[in-house]
């Protein structure tokens, strides 16, 4: 079978899998960003209990395998009465895992803001929350964007693991097609190209555009 015939016959299945992968990526990214912001701020708290909760979460999810976490969320949590659909379990596991890495980026980004900015915000008699939201976080956000771009690409690649709990994403469809046709080079080569296109021509340009926009806004400010 020629590669053209292969794509004509199985292209729809690759497309369907790509859409599921895109959904997993977007939902996991939103969850990871929310968790990273919360955990990063908690780790900077002066309250030992709040800081301790953040440290425990970050250490557990950074120190254990994403695959094990995925299995725990999908197979073990139902034993304690919490059952998640496989699609939900997939993006929750990926989001929580990458959120732990992102929390350290948030912490580092906030701490990289020059001390003078903190003092200026304090001199304006802003509340701590307003000071963080209006002065510190926008500058920290710009500092965080380059490593966050790398993290989101890593998140995209990690979504392939959700195929192991039968989420019908790109990798799941590729495995099913390969099991039927035994055309491994064509099947996984196509999947590889799709993942590369998503990372190189969608995620990376978006993050670079966002970085330029934020730098221009701060420059005008």
């Amino acid at each position: 079978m020629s590669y053209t015939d292969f794509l004509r016959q199985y292209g729809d299945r690759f497309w369907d899998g790509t859409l599921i992968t895109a959904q997993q990526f977007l939902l996991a990214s939103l969850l990871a960003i929310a968790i990273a912001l919360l955990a990063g701020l908690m780790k900077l708290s002066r309250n030992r209990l709040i800081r301790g909760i953040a440290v425990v979460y970050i250490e557990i999810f950074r120190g254990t395998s994403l695959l094990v976490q995925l299995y725990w969320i999908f197979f073990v949590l139902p034993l304690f009465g919490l059952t998640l659909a496989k699609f939900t379990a997939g993006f929750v596991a990926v989001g929580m895992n990458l959120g732990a890495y992102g929390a350290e980026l948030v912490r580092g980004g906030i701490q990289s803001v020059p001390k003078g900015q903190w003092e200026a915000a304090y001199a304006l008699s802003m509340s701590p929350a307003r000071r963080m939201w209006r002065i510190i976080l926008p500058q920290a956000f710009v500092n965080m964007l380059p490593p966050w771009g790398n993290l989101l690409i890593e998140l995209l690649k990690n979504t392939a693991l959700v195929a192991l709990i039968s989420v019908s994403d790109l990798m799941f469809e590729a495995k099913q097609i390969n099991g039927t046709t035994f055309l491994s080079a064509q099947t996984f080569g196509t999947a590889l190209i799709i993942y590369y296109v998503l990372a190189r021509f969608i995620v990376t340009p978006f993050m670079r555009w966002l970085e330029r926009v934020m730098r221009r806004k701060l420059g005008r400010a």
Side-chain angles (χ1 to χ4, degrees), residues 24 70 73-74 78 82-92 165 167:
Q24 285 279 316
L70 180 64
I73 290 174
F74 187 64
L82 180 58
T83 301
L84 298 178
K86 57 188 178 183
F87 182 89
T88 304
F91 77 78
V92 167
I165 57 172
V167 177

Side-chain angles (χ1 to χ4, degrees), residues 135-148:
I135 304 297
I136 305 304
L137 276 181
Q139 298 181 68
F141 186 61
V142 173
N143 296 335
M144 288 186 277
L145 280 176
W148 261 104

